[in-house]
Amino acid sequence: EAGARGVPVKVDDAEQMLFVERLNPGSMFPPAYEVGIFPLAVLLKRQTQLRWDAALAGALLLGLGVAASYYISARLAVPVRELAAVSQENRVLRERAEAALVIKGQELERSIRFSADASHQLKTPVAVLRAGLDEMLAREEVSPEVCEELSMLVHQTFRLTSIIEDLLMLSRLDSGRLELDLKPVDLTHVVETCVDDLRLSSDGTAPDLVLDVPPALQIAGEQRYTMIIVGNLVENARKYSLPGAPIRIAARVAEGTVSLVVGNKAEPIPPASWEHIFERFHRATVGENIPGHGLGLNLARELARLHGGDVLLLRSDKEWTEFEVRFRTAAPAPAPALAVA
């Protein structure tokens, strides 16, 4: 017996839905039924169409998804490929830089070795040459004219000795063999000593010196090398000062750093020479006719950096040329221990 749900049947090879429902359930009369038949052709056709539409839509969405994924992956792959190309290029550049660094290191090592060897080899002949010149000067038969020429030669031997000593120190700096034992150094005393040496070596022609340095200014350094740094800056100011122009030296303390500025009135250093002023053997155009070997500023800067400071060119104009050297202040001395009774 069919219920209200319906039963699919075929009538004349056509799909139909048969509904049968009893009209008098529980009655004593003979059962009566309501029979209904509904054709399914239109619904089945609609169902088939919906399935095809769903399949087509699914295929279309799948195609769009695949195309979108290819597009997005292609877009995302561009920076990855670019990064890979840049990485490869950087790797090549790094390998070239490393190779160049190795070559430069070897050249620097050879240069350091040559400088040290040449300086050591030159010390002996220069000493012999000076001894021979001193012996010739001591002879009574030497005329005043020859004596003057010999004195000039002796002076040149001292210049050669100074250059040799500077080259030896620079070679030790380059090779990392120059180590400092930093202790408190009285920078005020160092400046006063360098000023006194300048006055003594100038034979009464020393320029006016204006000092503005606090008393007992303590820095962390080594006395000998601190003297070389300050002495080179003061001597540089003396050589390049205009006739009759003063030299001023001022020091300031700020945030654990001592700044010593040495200034002089001179012809301005061309801006093109500023970045080369601390290079070895560099001579600016304003100093072509001034005696020197172009090592003083470089040596001062290298020693200052070894002290944890630096040497800078602050300014060079029509008014002043100023170099600044920076030191670290000396650590305060530990307080003495109190005796306990």
Side-chain angles (χ1 to χ4, degrees), residues 186-209:
D186 188 344
L187 184 62
T188 305
H189 176 70
V190 170
V191 172
E192 292 173 349
T193 302
C194 292
V195 168
D196 290 341
D197 292 343
L198 177 63
R199 287 169 176 163
L200 290 174
S201 63
S202 299
D203 297 329
T205 61
D208 294 333
L209 292 160

Side-chain angles (χ1 to χ4, degrees), residues 297-334:
L297 289 178
N298 178 266
L299 183 59
R301 185 183 64 172
E302 295 296 333
L303 289 174
R305 289 179 173 177
L306 197 62
H307 279 76
D310 206 350
V311 176
L312 307 170
L313 174 59
L314 294 184
R315 59 183 288 195
S316 184
D317 49 40
K318 295 181 179 179
E319 296 296 326
W320 288 95
T321 293
E322 292 180 339
F323 286 90
E324 178 190 40
V325 56
R326 297 174 182 172
F327 297 101
R328 292 180 296 178
T329 55

Side-chain angles (χ1 to χ4, degrees), residues 86-150:
V86 172
S87 178
Q88 178 64 25
E89 183 179 353
N90 289 339
R91 187 180 299 109
V92 173
L93 292 176
R94 188 188 66 218
E95 292 174 354
R96 292 178 181 175
E98 290 175 351
L101 187 61
V102 171
I103 295 174
K104 289 297 182 182
Q106 294 173 348
E107 292 178 354
L108 179 60
E109 185 178 353
R110 288 195 296 267
S111 176
I112 293 172
R113 191 183 307 115
F114 172 78
S115 177
D117 293 344
S119 300
H120 279 293
Q121 294 297 326
L122 286 172
K123 291 180 70 175
T124 300
V126 170
V128 172
L129 177 61
R130 185 184 304 158
L133 293 172
D134 289 338
E135 183 180 350
M136 294 177 65
L137 278 172
R139 295 178 182 176
E140 298 181 354
E141 66 271 14
V142 177
S143 64
E145 293 80 7
V146 175
C147 184
E148 183 178 356
E149 294 292 335
L150 292 176

Side-chain angles (χ1 to χ4, degrees), residues 240 268-270 273-274 276-277 281-289:
Y240 292 97
I269 300 173
S273 297
W274 280 39
H276 305 291
I277 197 69
F281 304 108
H282 175 78
R283 303 295 304 279
T285 55
V286 296
E288 290 179 343
N289 300 321

Side-chain angles (χ1 to χ4, degrees), residues 249-275:
I249 304 174
R252 295 292 181 270
V253 182
E255 300 180 355
T257 301
V258 176
S259 172
L260 181 71
V261 178
V262 180
N264 65 304
K265 290 181 176 292
E267 291 292 331
I269 300 173
S273 297
W274 280 39
E275 60 179 321

Side-chain angles (χ1 to χ4, degrees), residues 22 45 56-57 70 73 80 82 90 102 130 140 174 177 206-207 216 229 264 284 295 313 335 337-338:
R22 185 174 179 176
K45 183 177 180 181
L56 182 61
Y70 274 112
S73 62
V80 175
E82 292 178 353
N90 289 339
V102 171
R130 185 184 304 158
E140 298 181 354
D174 291 337
R177 292 185 291 109
I229 296 170
N264 65 304
L295 290 176
L313 174 59
L338 298 177

